Amino acid sequence: NAGVTQTPKFRVLKTGQSMTLLCAQDMNHEYMYWYRQDPGMGLRLIHYSVGEGTTAKGEVPDGYNVSRLKKQNFLLGLESAAPSQTSVYFCASSYTTSGGTEQFFGPGTRLTVL
Amino acid sequence: AQRVTQPEKLLSVFKGAPVELKCNYSYSGSPELFWYVQYSRQRLQLLLRHISRESIKGFTADLNKGETSFHLKKPFAQEEDSAMYYCALESATNKLIFGTGTLLAVQP
């Protein structure tokens, strides 16, 4: 199993450009998440999905859109990139368990917006 | 408000010294708490969860509801423990709130 994969690994954008980050998981997990990681801020939830065809806003959703058309994929879109969106983006997936959630993370995408 | 606080951005210790990474939380109800770790150039992964009451790689963490704390401890630090550590609280089903993280640097 590949677990959680993310494409691309690195990207540099100019202000105003758009792009889509792809997350894929092969563990048949219902839940998927997008986080951003910034120095001194920890991980902050952007959007999440509780199942195919569903999405919901997290803590910092502005400037991002998501789609979950297939259970295994969760896409994060930036319609008009801004320098404030320079960050490392992590995707994660999880399943429901009585012992509390374990989220499985992807390797991250480092995005720079100039 | 639900919140996780990790007061130390950086904790530097010498090899063999005890380690305590602090985590305090704010939550109404019975919390589910976790420690995640991110080693250099690796992805974030679960280290331990309070409900398991287990020791992983020599680390333990005890939930103290009176002090609303979930500190991570290890009696003798190793160089390979150097990493970023995140405390996390399950705020709703399958949703986590992360602290800001503590970078543990173990000096030889």
Side-chain angles (χ1 to χ4, degrees), chain A residues 2 4 31 33 35 37 40-43 45 48 90 94-103 105-107, chain B residues 9 32 34 36 38 42-46 49 51-52 84 86 90 92-101:
Chain A
V4 180
Y31 297 80
Y33 315 82
Y35 293 92
Q37 182 186 45
M41 305 290 287
L43 276 82
L45 183 64
Y48 64 101
F90 287 98
S94 73
Y95 61 97
T96 304
T97 172
S98 60
T101 299
E102 177 178 359
Q103 292 190 6
F105 284 82
Chain B
K9 287 186 179 179
E32 298 277 1
F34 308 81
Y36 280 76
Q38 187 175 28
Q42 293 187 28
R43 62 186 69 192
L44 199 67
Q45 59 187 289
L46 178 66
R49 65 186 85 191
I51 198 168
S52 301
M84 180 69 83
Y86 290 98
E90 186 162 348
T93 302
N94 292 70
K95 277 181 66 179
L96 295 176
I97 297 174
F98 286 87
T100 51

Side-chain angles (χ1 to χ4, degrees), chain B residues 7-22:
Chain B
E8 302 142 328
K9 287 186 179 179
L10 171 66
L11 182 63
S12 182
V13 301
F14 286 103
K15 178 182 173 181
V19 171
E20 183 178 52
L21 300 169
K22 292 184 166 49

